[in-house]
Amino acid sequence: MGLLWSLVLCVLAQAACCRAESPPQQALSSLPLLSRGCHDSDVLAVSGLALQSINRDQKDGYVLELNRVHDVWEHRQDSQGSLFYLTLDVLETSCHVLSRKEWKDCSPRTLHESVYGQCKAMFYFNKPKRILYLPAYNCTLRPVSRRGIHNMCPDCPSPSSTDLSDLRVLEAATESLAKYNSKSTLKQYSLDKVTRASTQWVVGPAYFVEYLIRESPCTKSQASSCSLKSSDSMPVGLCQGSLTQAHTEKFVSVTCDFFKSQIQAPGGENSTVNQGSGSLPRVEQPLQENTTSSSSPQETVPVGSVQHLPELDDEKPNGSQEKDHQEAFPVQLNLTTNAQGNTLHSLGFQQEKLVVLPFPKEQHSAECPGPARVTSHLVLPP
């Protein structure tokens, strides 16, 4: 009987050793990626959260909105969470990223001023542990084809330079801002930079501009003797101005939207000045964090960028759709290394490890791409 018990204990000890030497990463890495439907409700929710994280990471440019989910893969982890590999078709909105607005709260652009593109992102979602994490992303954007817009709307505004090389653009920005300052009760503002500009013939040449403003050290009473140079502060708002020349008359309008740090426009001035009419600036609530967890990732800064490319020519050779797609939106996302060249085969958390696989290169799901919010072919990547 003693010999029998010795054999049983030996077998149990060997089984325990085998279990201890089998890393969970090896078993997990052999699991395949699951192709998901691009219109599934949970996929849309994860895509929206990923895009929100991308927007939060930006310091310049406009908030991106989700037009459609182009492709999605899911890698279920051993920690009850999933690592999603997302390809998202996106559009620029009218909100600047410094406003910190959520993309669903931003107004879409009209078709003739659209900027569209594609983002690839890796997003980790663990509902039981309340973890949302964006380790890596890359986006490529292009302005809508002017040729395509002209064929549909010959009289629509045409894009203009924003580097102030066009003196009429600078004039539209400075004169519209001067009008805003003249209506303010206390504070004065200075031009930071022009972010968008376009021109159109109305009753004469008309210029439309969007520009960031900073709070000036000048007050209303000092306006005549103080130089309105920018202070060291960050931009506090985004203005939309226009200047239309009709014979000997000029028509100037301006609307300014202050960012969430501004409870209201300082001094109590109106945010809108359009031939004498105005309204109070919108009060923005702080963007709420979706999760707070003790299992937050050790690396909280995602690796990614948003790249702006020139407009894409409409004319494409026949039979070269795949090549054209790669050239039109060369979104590269290598999820096996980070910016320092370190291997990312696993991402460390305080209580778990994530397995990272190479980003899928081919679309396999019959349910992708999903339905688009804006269906024009001019803003849908192939």
Side-chain angles (χ1 to χ4, degrees):
M1 180 64 71
L3 179 61
L4 178 61
W5 274 111
S6 299
L7 291 174
V8 170
L9 292 175
C10 182
V11 170
L12 291 175
Q14 289 179 350
C17 291
C18 291
R19 285 196 299 269
E21 293 175 356
S22 299
Q25 302 272 331
Q26 293 179 359
L28 200 62
S29 62
S30 63
L31 294 177
L33 289 171
L34 303 176
S35 181
R36 297 291 305 274
C38 286
H39 61 274
D40 293 352
S41 59
D42 56 340
V43 168
L44 292 174
V46 167
S47 299
L49 292 170
L51 189 56
Q52 182 173 306
S53 297
I54 292 173
N55 286 325
R56 286 182 182 177
D57 194 45
Q58 305 311 303
K59 303 297 186 293
D60 193 19
Y62 289 88
V63 172
L64 300 177
E65 68 172 347
L66 180 64
N67 192 25
R68 70 177 179 183
V69 179
H70 194 98
D71 197 23
V72 57
W73 295 83
E74 179 183 3
H75 187 190
R76 294 176 182 171
Q77 305 282 311
D78 193 37
S79 55
Q80 303 182 57
S82 289
L83 197 59
F84 287 87
Y85 298 81
L86 304 166
T87 302
L88 309 176
D89 293 342
V90 297
L91 294 166
E92 274 192 355
T93 68
S94 58
C95 297
H96 198 275
V97 293
L98 295 180
S99 70
R100 297 307 172 199
K101 291 183 181 180
E102 296 188 38
W103 62 268
K104 290 184 177 180
D105 297 331
C106 295
S107 301
R109 295 279 184 183
T110 57
L111 184 61
H112 70 266
E113 60 180 10
S114 293
V115 174
Y116 71 111
Q118 198 166 84
C119 295
K120 290 187 183 295
M122 179 178 67
F123 193 77
Y124 177 65
F125 178 64
N126 189 321
K127 188 174 182 179
K129 295 185 179 180
R130 301 190 62 190
I131 300 176
L132 304 178
Y133 180 38
L134 177 76
Y137 71 92
N138 268 331
C139 303
T140 299
L141 305 176
R142 289 184 184 273
V144 67
S145 167
R146 278 181 282 182
R147 178 181 303 170
I149 292 296
H150 181 76
N151 292 337
M152 299 173 58
C153 177
D155 296 328
C156 283
S158 300
S160 183
S161 173
T162 59
D163 63 1
L164 303 184
S165 60
D166 189 333
L167 296 180
R168 300 301 294 272
V169 169
L170 176 60
E171 183 184 11
T174 55
E175 292 206 18
S176 61
L177 181 57
K179 181 167 187 173
Y180 187 89
N181 282 331
S182 70
K183 297 294 182 180
S184 68
T185 58
L186 181 60
K187 291 288 184 178
Q188 299 287 284
Y189 300 93
S190 57
L191 176 66
D192 180 68
K193 71 173 182 177
V194 176
T195 56
R196 290 180 72 105
S198 60
T199 181
Q200 182 184 26
W201 185 269
V202 188
V203 293
Y207 286 82
F208 307 93
V209 291
E210 296 181 16
Y211 51 90
L212 294 170
I213 57 172
R214 294 175 182 257
E215 190 174 307
S216 171
C218 305
T219 63
K220 180 76 171 181
S221 60
Q222 298 172 330
S224 59
S225 59
C226 177
S227 174
L228 291 176
K229 65 179 182 179
S230 299
S231 66
D232 294 332
S233 63
M234 294 291 293
V236 296
L238 180 73
C239 294
Q240 296 178 332
S242 69
L243 173 63
T244 303
Q245 182 74 49
H247 302 294
T248 59
E249 286 188 276
K250 286 183 180 180
F251 298 92
V252 180
S253 69
V254 60
T255 301
C256 293
D257 186 20
F258 287 84
F259 301 147
K260 73 169 187 176
S261 60
Q262 305 296 311
I263 301 303
Q264 66 174 21
E269 64 267 24
N270 294 337
S271 69
T272 304
V273 180
N274 190 348
Q275 304 301 329
S277 63
S279 61
L280 290 176
R282 295 192 294 271
V283 178
E284 300 302 335
Q285 298 297 327
L287 190 61
Q288 298 296 321
E289 296 291 340
N290 287 282
T291 61
T292 54
S293 172
S294 61
S295 299
S296 298
Q298 295 173 0
E299 294 184 23
T300 59
V301 180
V303 178
S305 64
V306 176
Q307 182 182 14
H308 291 260
L309 299 179
E311 147 194 355
L312 181 67
D313 190 357
D314 282 348
E315 296 180 357
K316 302 175 182 177
N318 294 330
S320 60
Q321 182 175 356
E322 181 179 355
K323 180 180 179 181
D324 287 343
H325 177 246
Q326 294 175 355
E327 292 177 350
F329 297 97
V331 185
Q332 301 296 327
L333 186 56
N334 182 3
L335 299 180
T336 60
T337 58
N338 61 13
Q340 290 74 40
N342 301 321
T343 300
L344 292 181
H345 60 275
S346 63
L347 294 174
F349 287 74
Q350 293 180 3
Q351 300 177 359
E352 58 190 294
K353 292 283 187 178
L354 298 185
V355 175
V356 181
L357 301 179
F359 201 94
K361 296 182 180 180
E362 306 243 347
Q363 172 187 313
H364 290 287
S365 174
E367 300 178 5
C368 290
R373 295 158 62 95
V374 180
T375 58
S376 173
H377 70 279
L378 294 177
V379 294
L380 286 177

